[in-house]
């Protein structure tokens, strides 16, 4: 097999000798994948992005970690190996790490599912790199230039291990605007792609993803298990799916026998995708869509006296940076209050957050506090976090949390 010559980097990475301050060294020893610039006390003067940083302990000159140097990022070194063992960073090294990642996903692939995240960035030892599989199409998204010198062997192993027939490259905005590579966002670098919209299966339910132009890699796989669970709860129920995007929760609900499902999203294009995804499945219920600002539309529904057996509220991240945290919490509190008013007697309210800066315990405590302030009794029936293909190996890698609340009257 062969890939496009465009993915072969002209830059030959160097080896850098690095020493850190005590705090940085302790972080690496504990297995954290980030080394910030202010932790570095000694490094080669000619360091460039993509160079292999060999991190030595402060006192004993023992290698404690290996990472890739990123000249433009405050996270100056992204760790790829921090175990107490030597490692040659080559094609064999990458192949072994991808095999380990694939093994973690095998249980998921025993279900009626052919879409999964094969590499979850730092959590699988590939900082700044995501790899998602949709049926026989592998989509690799790059967030950092550190991978350019190593991309060909990584892609080769990803394709071989996933057995993908097609490989698509997606680029973050900063890489799209960069001039020192020939990659194109949405480029097919291996195999052929008949249609940019690829169909796949998630726990027996049919979906599609635009792997060329869609958000991220084309779809959000992380909520898979919550979507399955909502589907199982939805038989003969009315369902409101807020921030529905491509209709993940809506489709599972209808495919599992919901009587009526309403998908609410500000994006008309997303609702078009939701409608298309619904039609990929057999269902008898009614599918409605509402386009508009979620907060306003929910208030309008409350004024109209609308109530639903199941309400799912899964907003985008409200805390892109540290300064956003308090405002994010206020928005989550608003959504919990609005959601409670839209949930019918004996109904279930599902509240989710994908803001990594709002910690899980803080989110669940906030929900509890808001719902306790309402007049109705409720029961917390479940709290969930990441699905099996989104393993978490360091605190900042944990972002997804979801609470299920049943109202008893």
């Amino acid at each position: 097999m062969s890939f496009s010559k465009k993915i072969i980097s002209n830059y030959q990475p160097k080896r850098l000798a690095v020493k850190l301050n005590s705090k940085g060294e302790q972080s690496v020893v504990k297995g954290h994948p980030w080394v910030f610039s202010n932790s570095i006390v000694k490094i080669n003067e000619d360091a460039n992005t993509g160079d292999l940083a060999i991190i030595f302990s402060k006192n004993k000159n023992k290698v404690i970690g290996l990472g890739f140097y990123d000249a433009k990022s405050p996270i100056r070194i992204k760790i790829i190996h921090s175990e107490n063992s030597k490692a040659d960073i080559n094609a064999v090294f990458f192949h072994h790490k991808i095999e380990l990642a694939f093994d973690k996903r095998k249980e998921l692939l025993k279900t009626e599912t052919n879409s999964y995240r094969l590499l979850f960035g730092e959590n699988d030892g590939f900082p700044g790199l995501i790899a998602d599989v949709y049926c026989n199409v592998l989509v690799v998204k790059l967030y950092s230039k550190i991978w350019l010198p190593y991309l060909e062997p990584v892609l080769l192993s990803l394709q071989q291990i996933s057995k993908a027939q097609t490989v698509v490259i997606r680029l973050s905005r900063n890489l799209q605007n960069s001039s020192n590579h020939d990659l194109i966002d949405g480029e097919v670098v291996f195999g052929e792609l008949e249609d940019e919209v690829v169909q796949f299966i998630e726990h027996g339910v049919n979906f599609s993803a635009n792997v060329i132009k869609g958000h991220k890699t084309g779809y959000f796989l992380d909520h898979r298990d919550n979507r399955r669970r909502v589907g199982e709860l939805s038989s003969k129920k009315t369902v409101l799916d807020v921030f529905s995007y491509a209709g993940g929760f809506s489709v599972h609900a209808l495919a599992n026998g919901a009587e009526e499902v309403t998908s609410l999203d500000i994006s008309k294009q997303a609702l078009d995708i939701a409608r298309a995804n619904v039609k990929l499945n057999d269902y008898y219920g009614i599918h409605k869509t509402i386009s508009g600002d979620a907060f306003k539309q929910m208030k309008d529904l409350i004024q109209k006296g609308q109530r639903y057996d199941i309400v799912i509220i899964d907003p985008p991240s409200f805390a892109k940076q540290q300064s956003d945290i308090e405002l994010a919490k206020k928005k989550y509190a608003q959504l919990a209050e609005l959601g409670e008013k839209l949930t019918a007697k004996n109904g279930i309210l599902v509240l989710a957050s994908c803001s990594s800066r709002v910690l899980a315990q803080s989110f669940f405590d906030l929900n509890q506090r808001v719902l306790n302030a309402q007049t109705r009794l409720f029961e917390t029936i479940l709290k969930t976090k990441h699905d099996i293909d989104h393993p978490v190996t360091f605190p900042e890698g944990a972002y997804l949390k979801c609470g299920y609340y049943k109202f008893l009257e």
Side-chain angles (χ1 to χ4, degrees), residues 137-141 155 166-170 185-190 193 211-212:
V137 177
L138 169 72
V139 186
V140 178
K141 180 146 188 179
L155 290 179
T166 306
V167 180
V168 177
I169 288 285
R170 298 295 303 273
D185 183 48
E187 183 177 12
V188 177
V189 295
F190 176 75
L193 193 65
V211 298
I212 304 296

Side-chain angles (χ1 to χ4, degrees), residues 61-92:
N61 264 354
K62 176 186 173 185
V63 175
I64 58 169
L66 304 173
F68 292 146
Y69 185 81
D70 193 339
K72 296 289 177 69
S73 172
I75 304 172
R76 199 55 52 89
I77 298 170
K78 276 101 172 176
I79 300 295
I80 58 168
H81 183 78
S82 61
E83 299 168 19
N84 290 322
S85 60
K86 292 182 179 179
D88 294 321
I89 308 305
N90 53 27
V92 174

Side-chain angles (χ1 to χ4, degrees), residues 7-22:
I7 67 169
I8 301 173
S9 172
N10 294 322
Y11 179 68
Q12 293 299 314
K14 304 184 298 297
R15 293 162 72 91
L16 309 174
V18 180
K19 287 201 173 186
L20 309 177
N21 60 24
S22 298

Side-chain angles (χ1 to χ4, degrees), residues 121-137:
E122 285 91 337
N123 297 283
D124 285 304
F126 286 81
L129 188 152
I130 297 291
D132 287 343
V133 176
Y134 301 101
C135 190
N136 57 14
V137 177

